[in-house]
Amino acid sequence: MSIKNAYLQQLMETVEKRNAGDEQFLITVRSVLESVEPVVEAHPEYIEMGVMDLFVEPERVIKFRVPWVDDKGKVHVNRGYRVQSNSAIGPYKGGLRLHPSVTEDTVKFLAFEQTLKNSLTGLPIGGGKGGSDFDPKGKSDMEVMRFCQSFMNELYRHIGPDCDVPAGDIGVGAREIGYLYGQYKKLTGQYCGVLTGKGLSYGGSLARKEATGYGLCYYTEEMLKSFGKSFQGQTVVISGSGNVAIYACEKATQLGAKVVAMCDSNGYVYDPDGIDLDAVKLIKEVRRGRIKEYVADHPKAEYHEGCKGIWTVKCDIALPCATQNELDLESAKALIANGCFCVSEGANMPCTMEAIDAILSAGLYFGPAKAANAGGVATSALEMSQNSERLSWSFAEVDAKLKDIMVNIFHNVADAAQEYDFGNNFEKAANVAGFLKVADAMLAQGVC
Ligand code: NDP
Ligand code: 2IT
């Protein structure tokens, strides 16, 4: 597949020159430009008014140093980022990732994806993403706190409840959001909805913690329903054992599936009786331990070193919920050979482009990340609404809204697939459905 439109081809060359070496960003931009080609050809004004040129250039890339002192008094310096990709339809919105692999490329590609994802939610939120190459693993609470405070010492001047609202992502959960929020409040004197994923005692929303995983299952269930299937009685494999994976496991199980494998970056556990999620929560959420600890009190379960092996476990439905590029062509082939009929992405870009091609060619049902995992950010937007009106909604109310949003996203994507003749390529359809609203808003707001 390649870009055929001459203008978009030229634009891609410019993006390649400007972002040389930013591999993930380039893959993402190329894939989106390929998808939106028919839309752009039907709307020459997008090219004439520079919408395409503006769209591929983040509005702002902020990069800063983050010095902090460990428990032994040693000074460390990490690098922090916030990429504010697009504010056409609302304030920048997107998570913060703390992981040693984070580079400017990581944050730029995630912010670009986030713009389209946030548009798909139907809510007024633009796209942003941030993070640092700081590794919270093995750090004490005090070290994490000092890092978060230092990170916020710089970030606070670039964010605000009507400007840019960060949240969690890999390595950033309730603990980190709490420290970040405390420091923002100290620096600005403002008690406001500047971050989402906050604790329930200080402005957080019920169901935000569960939202990405639950939303993934609501989306997937609606997709399966449209093909006369459901989670009921299916065997499921879920990669990761963090926030998204845990709550995907919870909802898939509630919907009648049996989840038989989960992993972390070291290896995976296979439990033929079905994963005991309380045990996983205890290990990961309470003890901050490793998934291999699971087998100690689950004698029938097996632990295997290496997380990639998880895709060789036989299943009907695969939910990759760990990180980008975790499911490559070889893994896709293994899933297909084992009879898997559905792959739905909880993580951001977990399947490589080659894996997606193989999955689609084999006729599997595919839930693309920016649609299937949009429940987290959608519920973040619901948290922002609650903060603005200084009210808290019940779990049931938030959960019902989340479900509605996910069902709507599925149908909007399915409609776009039909309108643009994309067949089962819901990856392309999601790109188009997300893009249209952003492009129209950019057009209306002029060259800015
Ligand atoms: P967590 O930090 O809670 O969990 C991440 C999980 O993925 C852990 O099990 C972790 O294992 C594993 N993992 C991380 N990096 C790697 C790697 N390089 N190789 C293998 N395994 C890895 O993060 P979340 O659950 O919040 O995020 C998971 C994915 O979902 C990410 O892609 C994120 O961008 C996406 N996402 C998150 C949303 C949210 O609301 N939190 C919303 C939408 C998408 P280990 O502990 O060993 O590092
Ligand atoms: O990738 C994502 O959508 C997230 N990490 C959640 C972002 C948010 O603002 O809730």
Side-chain angles (χ1 to χ4, degrees):
M1 246 185 349
S2 60
I3 301 171
K4 291 180 203 77
N5 177 287
Y7 191 89
L8 294 183
Q9 244 174 29
Q10 182 83 52
L11 181 60
M12 190 62 221
E13 279 171 27
T14 308
V15 175
E16 275 164 358
K17 272 192 206 122
R18 275 207 187 124
N19 300 278
D22 289 344
E23 260 179 60
Q24 196 68 40
F25 180 68
L26 293 175
I27 290 171
T28 314
V29 173
R30 176 174 286 281
S31 153
V32 171
L33 290 186
E34 277 171 8
S35 306
V36 302
E37 208 163 8
V39 183
V40 173
E41 295 199 330
H43 291 273
E45 67 277 19
Y46 290 164
I47 289 181
E48 285 153 20
M49 291 304 295
V51 168
M52 301 314 296
D53 296 69
L54 291 167
F55 181 65
V56 295
E57 184 68 15
E59 289 180 25
R60 208 164 289 106
V61 176
I62 301 153
K63 190 155 126 182
F64 49 95
R65 96 179 162 202
V66 190
W68 59 279
V69 182
D70 70 19
D71 289 343
K72 296 189 179 113
K74 183 172 171 357
V75 175
H76 299 262
V77 179
N78 284 98
R79 194 168 265 187
Y81 306 92
R82 185 72 182 167
V83 174
Q84 299 177 328
S85 200
N86 193 296
S87 62
I89 63 169
Y92 312 106
K93 181 85 197 84
L96 296 172
R97 177 176 294 189
L98 297 184
H99 193 274
S101 65
V102 168
T103 62
E104 188 172 320
D105 180 29
T106 320
V107 181
K108 223 158 52 176
F109 108 76
L110 288 166
F112 185 73
E113 283 285 290
Q114 195 82 41
T115 298
L116 297 171
K117 180 196 307 197
N118 293 3
S119 167
L120 284 172
T121 66
L123 300 167
I125 38 177
K129 197 86 187 189
S132 171
D133 56 1
F134 174 79
D135 186 359
K137 246 180 251 150
K139 306 286 189 302
S140 71
D141 286 353
M142 289 300 103
E143 288 173 329
V144 170
M145 182 181 79
R146 287 193 290 273
F147 171 83
C148 288
Q149 290 174 340
S150 177
F151 188 84
M152 188 52 86
N153 284 345
E154 179 61 34
L155 187 68
Y156 86 97
R157 65 186 90 243
H158 305 290
I159 62 175
D162 295 313
C163 155
D164 184 355
V165 184
D169 193 79
I170 292 178
V172 176
R175 174 182 63 172
E176 291 74 18
I177 293 291
Y179 295 147
L180 290 163
Y181 191 71
Q183 188 69 359
Y184 181 86
K185 188 161 59 74
K186 183 165 177 69
L187 290 165
T188 62
Q190 300 285 311
Y191 204 103
C192 60
V194 67
L195 293 162
T196 59
K198 299 186 290 300
L200 297 177
S201 59
Y202 63 95
S205 173
L206 284 161
R208 173 61 188 92
K209 182 176 70 174
E210 292 82 357
T212 311
Y214 277 25
L216 169 66
C217 292
Y218 293 147
Y219 180 95
T220 307
E221 184 76 344
E222 191 65 16
M223 171 167 72
L224 294 174
K225 194 169 116 190
S226 77
F227 297 109
K229 295 190 182 291
S230 78
F231 268 109
Q232 184 65 45
Q234 311 293 357
T235 300
V236 177
V237 164
I238 300 181
S239 63
S241 48
N243 173 262
V244 180
I246 285 177
Y247 292 95
C249 179
E250 186 161 289
K251 185 52 71 179
T253 308
Q254 283 171 14
L255 290 170
K258 180 157 94 170
V259 179
V260 293
M262 291 180 83
C263 70
D264 58 24
S265 57
N266 294 118
Y268 72 94
V269 287
Y270 168 67
D271 188 339
D273 286 344
I275 291 284
D276 169 1
L277 192 60
D278 286 340
V280 175
K281 283 184 181 175
L282 188 69
I283 295 166
K284 302 304 281 192
E285 292 186 335
V286 180
R287 301 211 300 258
R288 294 183 189 276
R290 308 305 301 160
I291 199 76
K292 71 173 168 208
E293 294 162 31
Y294 182 92
V295 293
D297 43 10
H298 295 82
K300 278 206 208 153
E302 302 162 8
Y303 174 74
H304 299 266
E305 277 297 328
C307 44
K308 216 184 130 186
I310 195 167
W311 305 120
T312 63
V313 175
K314 188 172 165 51
C315 66
D316 303 307
I317 298 171
L319 304 176
C321 294
T323 193
Q324 65 269 16
N325 301 324
E326 55 163 315
L327 200 165
D328 60 9
L329 180 59
E330 195 190 340
S331 310
K333 284 183 178 163
L335 285 170
I336 296 162
N338 276 332
C340 171
F341 67 79
C342 170
V343 177
S344 203
E345 298 182 313
N348 284 309
M349 302 273 291
C351 298
T352 63
M353 292 300 163
E354 297 73 26
I356 294 176
D357 286 346
I359 288 165
L360 294 175
S361 303
L364 275 65
Y365 309 132
F366 179 65
K370 61 176 69 67
N373 76 27
V377 74
T379 307
S380 277
L382 301 179
E383 182 172 329
M384 289 163 72
S385 300
Q386 293 168 76
N387 292 163
S388 296
E389 63 178 15
R390 310 230 183 270
L391 290 173
S392 299
W393 306 340
S394 69
F395 188 97
E397 198 176 348
V398 179
D399 190 39
K401 284 185 176 23
L402 166 65
K403 190 169 179 186
D404 265 7
I405 290 167
M406 299 315 294
V407 166
N408 276 334
I409 294 176
F410 172 72
H411 289 289
N412 288 340
V413 172
D415 289 350
Q418 203 163 22
E419 188 178 340
Y420 289 92
D421 237 351
F422 287 147
N424 73 340
N425 195 328
F426 278 29
E427 167 76 16
K428 278 188 164 194
N431 285 334
V432 165
F435 172 73
L436 275 166
K437 185 175 161 191
V438 176
D440 285 339
M442 290 174 74
L443 197 62
Q445 291 170 32
V447 181
C448 58

